[in-house]
Amino acid sequence: MQAAPALALEHITVTFVSEGAARFTAIRDATLVVRPGEFVSVVGPTGCGKSTLLNIAAGLLTPSAGSVRVFGEPLAGLNRNSGYLFQTEALLPWRTALDNVTIGLEFRGLAREVAVRQAEGWLLRVGLRGHGHRYPHQLSGGMRKRVALAQTLILDPQIILMDEPFSALDIQTRQLMENELLELWSANRKSVVFITHDLEEAISLSDRVVVLSAGPEARPIGEYEIDLPRPRDVAEIRLTPRFIELHTKIWQTMKQEVLKGYEQQKNQ
Ligand SMILES: Nc1ncnc2c1ncn2[C@@H]1O[C@H](COP(=O)(O)OP(=O)(O)OP(=O)(O)O)[C@@H](O)[C@H]1O
Ligand SMILES: [Mg+2]
């Protein structure tokens, strides 16, 4: 018997109803299934519903229709098997880097010394040894992302949900972080849902890329297995013929949607 998928979003529809505004169906009949240990990226134009889909997976939002299963069990409330890396900065400014990393363990009731020891291990793993005493405003953007990564991974989630985590970084820092993410992930393969609007980033990181259509009523319109060898260097893999072949193929599907998304935003 096959193991249950880590995450199964099936026939998901999300309609937002806000007072004084028309109903808005952001997602219509979307299905996304992620296997244990699989790295899946979801790409799509801005505003199409990527964050909304991730919020459904995290249990932060209940779909208007459709089902969410986590390791075969229907999801009720928050998805406790998942860790969430937000699109925006989510560190607490009044806590040091170290104390930001210990937060989750403290909520779980671990003794302070145990939490601190584990957090120091994670700061080391994300390349921040000796920076634990600094506050978020004393760290660079890349360093803050590393703290956020440690904050998420320390809880050892079975499913890691990432919403454009590196999009605010410069390209070199971004590629460094992507390589580090792949290294951390391959040491201890968890399921990852990685949201991005950047097709190159999606291909270089993933086992599979899912393309969402432009909204409203966004849904997956293409799924592509990425058969590039691992371990990968995200900068170098982009220069290989197979990468270019995959990129060309997926871009054919994505191009129209990006144009549509852009037009819609202009007319809003
Ligand atoms: N709570 C809400 N109420 C009403 N509309 C919403 C709500 N949340 C999101 N939307 C709308 O749903 C659509 C999808 O939003 P979402 O944030 O999921 O897009 P996205 O693909 O993550 O965009 P981006 O690439 O810019 O981050 C957008 O049109 C947005 O305005
Ligand atoms: Mg978003």
Side-chain angles (χ1 to χ4, degrees):
M1 210 177 84
Q2 269 207 325
L7 184 67
L9 309 184
E10 284 172 311
H11 305 293
I12 299 292
T13 295
V14 180
T15 302
F16 291 112
V17 187
S18 20
E19 222 173 299
R23 295 162 71 87
F24 180 80
T25 298
I27 295 174
R28 166 90 66 201
D29 199 17
T31 292
L32 175 69
V33 178
V34 182
R35 297 187 289 269
E38 191 184 20
F39 198 126
V40 176
S41 284
V42 177
V43 291
T46 179
C48 74
K50 302 182 295 295
S51 297
T52 301
L53 204 60
L54 210 62
N55 288 340
I56 298 275
L60 293 168
L61 190 67
T62 308
S64 320
S67 78
V68 182
R69 284 174 181 276
V70 179
F71 293 106
E73 298 293 324
L75 178 63
L78 281 184
N79 182 351
R80 307 250 169 228
N81 285 293
S82 76
Y84 201 132
L85 211 63
F86 290 93
Q87 187 165 8
T88 48
E89 294 257 326
L91 297 180
L92 299 178
W94 60 87
R95 281 192 163 224
T96 62
L98 183 79
D99 288 344
N100 265 286
V101 180
T102 57
I103 288 175
L105 296 181
E106 285 171 33
F107 277 133
R108 286 188 179 172
L110 254 75
R112 169 87 187 152
E113 320 82 74
V114 181
V116 166
R117 211 174 316 126
Q118 287 193 27
E120 279 169 348
W122 272 102
L123 284 175
L124 177 71
R125 245 167 277 172
V126 299
L128 286 179
R129 185 164 55 170
H131 294 284
H133 63 286
R134 295 212 202 177
Y135 287 88
H137 76 274
Q138 298 171 317
L139 299 168
S140 71
M143 286 167 147
R144 285 199 292 271
K145 278 294 166 195
R146 290 194 171 94
V147 176
L149 199 59
Q151 190 184 53
T152 305
L153 298 183
I154 197 170
L155 296 173
D156 199 27
Q158 295 302 306
I159 303 168
I160 306 169
L161 307 172
M162 306 180 96
D163 193 356
E164 310 211 31
F166 308 139
S167 57
L169 303 175
D170 64 83
I171 185 72
Q172 285 83 14
T173 311
R174 186 172 176 170
Q175 292 187 343
L176 274 173
M177 294 290 304
E178 289 165 358
N179 278 337
E180 284 171 21
L181 172 66
L182 283 185
E183 217 178 297
L184 290 167
W185 170 75
S186 61
N188 183 4
R189 286 198 185 202
K190 301 296 165 78
S191 303
V192 178
V193 183
F194 189 98
I195 301 289
T196 178
H197 57 263
D198 180 343
L199 181 54
E200 290 198 17
E201 181 177 49
I203 298 172
S204 58
L205 293 174
S206 310
D207 296 321
R208 188 154 51 97
V209 172
V210 175
V211 180
L212 284 188
S213 67
E217 309 200 350
R219 63 186 199 293
I221 48 168
E223 287 206 17
Y224 303 86
E225 293 291 332
I226 306 300
D227 52 5
L228 298 168
R230 294 190 190 271
R232 298 178 193 166
D233 178 293
V234 297
E236 285 168 13
I237 199 99
R238 289 169 204 223
L239 308 173
T240 63
R242 181 62 183 147
F243 183 97
I244 295 164
E245 209 175 303
L246 285 164
H247 188 278
T248 309
K249 189 163 110 188
I250 304 172
W251 181 244
Q252 289 305 321
T253 308
M254 215 181 137
K255 188 164 68 181
Q256 283 307 102
E257 302 307 316
V258 171
L259 291 175
K260 261 190 255 170
Y262 181 62
E263 283 302 316
Q264 274 160 11
Q265 292 230 324
K266 256 194 345 195
N267 297 329
Q268 260 176 13

